[in-house]
Amino acid sequence: MDRSIPGIMNPPLLSLNETRARALDVASQRCGSAWNCGKIVPHWLLQAAIRSGAVDYDRSVWGELALSAHFSEPNRHEITFVITYGLDGAPNVVDGKTTDYPANFNELDDVAQNATPSTLVPSPESAFTWLTFLVDSITELHDRTCAQIY
């Protein structure tokens, strides 16, 4: 079965350059940025990775992609991914992931619920581990979308 956007074969959407992704960790340590304190903002990291070439895609195939990854709350329990293809007629794709909540989560008060660790946050938390998660998640969303279209 052909799983492609009209007229386009379905090559991988994103690729991760490990050396450049690890260099973002080094750059962040020099700058003392927020992600050293466990507060990586996935959207800004993803944008920095695209600018630096740590995350790449084939613009001749996909056009100018607009990619986004945002947590809905500071507890980082839910993340939303957005793919906007730079192709005429291609859909905008929005989906997300939710942390794996413990069985007693609904019995906890708000403070305890917010203190529950998010299973979405990679460990150890670094630019490389985050970018691996983001590239895998966005590529998975892209593949599911193509499977649904065709």
Side-chain angles (χ1 to χ4, degrees), residues 41-44 47 67-73 78-82 95-97 134:
V41 178
H43 176 74
W44 298 116
Q47 301 313 307
L67 303 171
S68 177
H70 291 280
F71 281 112
S72 57
E73 298 291 334
E78 297 177 5
I79 191 168
T80 301
F81 303 106
V82 179
D95 200 5
K97 290 187 176 187
L134 294 171

Side-chain angles (χ1 to χ4, degrees), residues 111-126:
V111 173
Q113 285 184 351
N114 284 328
T116 300
S118 175
T119 58
L120 300 174
V121 177
S123 182
E125 192 169 353
S126 68

Side-chain angles (χ1 to χ4, degrees), residues 18-102:
E18 182 176 347
T19 302
R20 290 181 179 174
R22 291 192 187 280
L24 288 174
D25 278 325
V26 172
S28 73
Q29 290 166 4
R30 281 191 211 130
C31 300
S33 73
W35 60 57
N36 290 329
C37 302
K39 300 200 187 275
I40 290 179
V41 178
H43 176 74
W44 298 116
L45 176 62
L46 183 60
Q47 301 313 307
I50 291 169
R51 282 191 308 276
S52 73
V55 171
D56 198 17
Y57 61 92
D58 188 342
R59 284 161 177 80
S60 69
V61 173
W62 303 114
E64 287 298 321
L65 289 176
L67 303 171
S68 177
H70 291 280
F71 281 112
S72 57
E73 298 291 334
N75 64 18
R76 305 193 294 179
H77 287 176
E78 297 177 5
I79 191 168
T80 301
F81 303 106
V82 179
I83 305 170
T84 303
Y85 298 93
L87 303 171
D88 290 339
N92 289 337
V93 181
V94 179
D95 200 5
K97 290 187 176 187
T98 303
T99 199
D100 294 328
Y101 294 110

Side-chain angles (χ1 to χ4, degrees), residues 2-10 61-62 85 87-91 146 149-150:
D2 176 22
R3 295 181 177 164
S4 60
I5 305 259
I8 305 290
M9 294 303 293
N10 189 18
V61 173
W62 303 114
Y85 298 93
L87 303 171
D88 290 339
C146 287
I149 292 173
Y150 299 99

